[in-house]
Amino acid sequence: MAGTISKIIHFRDEEEFLDDMTEIMERFSYLASKYGHNPVEGVLLWDYIGVQDEEGVKIFRVGEFPYFEGALKVDLETLRVMERYFDEMESKWDELRVEDIAYFVEMLNDALGREIVYYEAYDLGLDRNTAYIIINIANLHYLESVLDGRDREIFEEAVEMLMRYI
């Protein structure tokens, strides 16, 4: 990924961080739809898990499994095994650590007999109140050089919010 930087960022309030990232991503997505360049290429929180189904890898947070269940294109047996493991993880939410999630994912894949559940946060060294972000500096510079008027204001607001964390 030429022109990108990756950084682990720390925050105090997860809900505030998620709200801010939603606003940042909305602004950059709007600009990308007009100018074709999005500076934020990805954000990974400590509790994001990927599941490979018939359509590709779908990402969700540990506590979102009950809501995400209908979107997975896997057989009923696989779904039920996953549901048991995710229910167990969610029941331990308050004391859940990245090491615990990594262990659950390993055990879940063993129970499924194949590796279709992915967890990268442990390998990246994330913990609660941390996220991994990938920023495309080239796209950031490009947008800065071509924007004016209201689009420049939108860009500057997004960059200002992002800089609070970086």
Side-chain angles (χ1 to χ4, degrees), residues 69-82:
E69 184 174 12
L72 288 173
K73 305 288 188 233
V74 295
D75 62 77
L76 189 56
E77 168 92 19
T78 299
L79 193 58
R80 293 302 157 230
V81 170
M82 290 174 61

Side-chain angles (χ1 to χ4, degrees), residues 51-54 60 65 69 72-86 108-109 111-117:
V51 177
Q52 175 76 45
D53 69 0
E54 296 171 4
F60 63 97
F65 187 76
E69 184 174 12
L72 288 173
K73 305 288 188 233
V74 295
D75 62 77
L76 189 56
E77 168 92 19
T78 299
L79 193 58
R80 293 302 157 230
V81 170
M82 290 174 61
E83 186 175 40
R84 279 196 315 271
Y85 277 83
F86 282 109
L108 174 56
N109 283 326
L112 294 171
R114 59 195 169 150
E115 189 172 328
I116 64 168
V117 182

Side-chain angles (χ1 to χ4, degrees), residues 7-24:
K7 181 164 178 43
I8 294 176
I9 54 178
H10 302 272
F11 47 87
R12 294 188 199 286
D13 182 327
E14 190 168 284
E15 291 308 313
E16 179 183 349
F17 172 76
L18 291 172
D19 290 345
D20 287 348
M21 287 309 298
T22 298
E23 284 191 46
I24 291 165

